[in-house]
């Protein structure tokens, strides 16, 4: 059995990642593919419990070091229980956020050194990272106002200050520049259906026979 395909969706708050991941899952399923749609932090029962610790409560609840380790702890569980078994079955794994979010949020955003994120990535992820990553880019103001329209208590990151969110946007651009073979930056101010077409074309040309 050949390994499945791993695609991640990245971006700041309110960029539309979840919508695009769902749309791609629908298209792939219509082609007869077996698809696992998952997310980080979360994606396994244990990682969903850790997610709750990360996305609720006061912005200053954790130190940057604790927060980084919580994201990697959630990721280790998600990889072991959800992602690796799916890739081993030959499934398409579509993940709403992955390690690039740690690099952006905890590295560029919260000051954790990138070499530390790199060794944790080698330790926890190894060779099981994404084959293709879509980075959805929207101006900070637009993203935050879209995100504010959502209900629920998962708003800890949204409440971090404006300069934090500006650093994230620049971070994702840097990540894309440093990983040109894997990352595609998309202007997500377009109507979602247009962004969806660009994503589908990219998947067809890069990954479908
Ligand atoms: P979501 O709202 O896109 O599901 O993501 C939850 C929050 O977690 C989002 O604000 C970004 C943040 N996050 C990190 O700070 N580091 C990470 O490694 C991941 C995966 C998410």
């Amino acid at each position: 059995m050949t390994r499945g395909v791993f695609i991640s969706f990245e971006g700041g708050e309110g960029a539309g990642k979840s919508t695009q991941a769902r749309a791609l899952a629908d298209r792939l399923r219509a082609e007869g593919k077996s698809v696992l749609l998952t997310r980080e932090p979360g994606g396994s029962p244990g990682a969903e419990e850790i997610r709750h610790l990360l996305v609720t409560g006061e912005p200053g609840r954790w130190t940057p070091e604790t927060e980084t380790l919580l994201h990697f702890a959630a990721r280790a569980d998600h990889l072991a229980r959800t992602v690796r078994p799916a890739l081993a079955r030959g499934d398409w794994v579509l993940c709403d956020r992955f390690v690039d979010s740690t690099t952006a949020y905890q590295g560029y955003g919260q000051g954790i050194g990138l070499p530390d994120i790199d060794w944790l990535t080698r330790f926890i992820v190894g060779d099981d990272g994404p084959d293709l990553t879509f980075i959805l880019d929207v101006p900070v103001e637009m993203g935050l106002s879209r995100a504010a329209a959502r209900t629920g208590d998962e708003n800890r990151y949204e409440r971090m200050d404006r300069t934090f969110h500006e650093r994230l946007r620049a971070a994702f651009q840097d990540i894309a520049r440093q990983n040109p073979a894997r990352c595609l930056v998309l202007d997500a101010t377009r109507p979602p259906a247009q962004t969806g077409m660009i994503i589908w074309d990219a998947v067809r040309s890069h990954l479908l026979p």
Side-chain angles (χ1 to χ4, degrees):
M1 169 79 67
T2 51
R3 177 191 186 264
V5 178
F6 188 179
I7 300 177
S8 60
F9 292 79
E10 297 280 6
E13 304 301 314
K17 300 170 287 86
S18 316
T19 307
Q20 293 302 336
R22 265 197 311 273
L24 179 59
D26 290 345
R27 284 198 149 104
L28 286 166
R29 285 182 183 131
E31 298 284 313
K33 306 291 181 197
S34 179
V35 178
L36 173 83
L37 186 56
T38 187
R39 68 172 180 182
E40 288 206 343
S44 65
E48 288 290 331
E49 288 194 35
I50 299 172
R51 176 186 176 94
H52 186 69
L53 300 174
L54 283 161
V55 299
T56 63
E58 288 309 304
R61 177 176 191 184
W62 306 111
T63 67
E65 290 78 9
T66 310
E67 192 152 336
T68 302
L69 293 173
L70 284 172
H71 277 292
F72 273 105
R75 181 163 298 133
D77 197 70
H78 180 219
L79 279 162
R81 312 217 180 228
T82 305
V83 174
R84 288 191 180 110
L87 290 173
R89 287 194 300 270
D91 287 359
W92 287 68
V93 175
L94 309 187
C95 193
D96 186 345
R97 298 195 182 280
F98 198 66
V99 169
D100 296 325
S101 280
T102 316
T103 304
Y105 282 73
Q106 281 66 54
Y108 288 67
Q110 296 180 317
I112 295 293
L114 300 186
D116 288 330
I117 293 174
D118 286 347
W119 77 254
L120 282 163
T121 303
R122 279 196 299 282
F123 174 43
I124 300 298
V125 181
D127 292 329
D128 296 322
D131 303 295
L132 179 63
T133 297
F134 294 107
I135 295 178
L136 274 60
D137 179 59
V138 288
V140 170
E141 210 58 65
M142 180 188 274
L144 286 176
S145 66
R146 283 184 189 169
R150 292 180 200 143
T151 52
D153 62 350
E154 292 199 341
N155 57 9
R156 180 169 165 260
Y157 287 95
E158 282 160 46
R159 289 188 285 129
M160 293 184 182
D161 62 46
R162 169 73 193 240
T163 56
F164 172 80
H165 291 282
E166 297 287 358
R167 286 200 296 283
L168 298 182
R169 192 173 184 207
F172 282 117
Q173 301 284 349
D174 277 359
I175 291 167
R177 265 193 297 276
Q178 285 156 22
N179 299 276
R182 172 174 65 86
C183 295
L184 202 61
V185 180
L186 301 174
D187 170 3
T189 62
R190 293 192 187 89
Q194 264 182 41
T195 306
M197 280 309 299
I198 297 168
I199 289 175
W200 182 232
D201 285 346
V203 167
R204 268 199 309 211
S205 61
H206 285 77
L207 298 170
L208 282 174

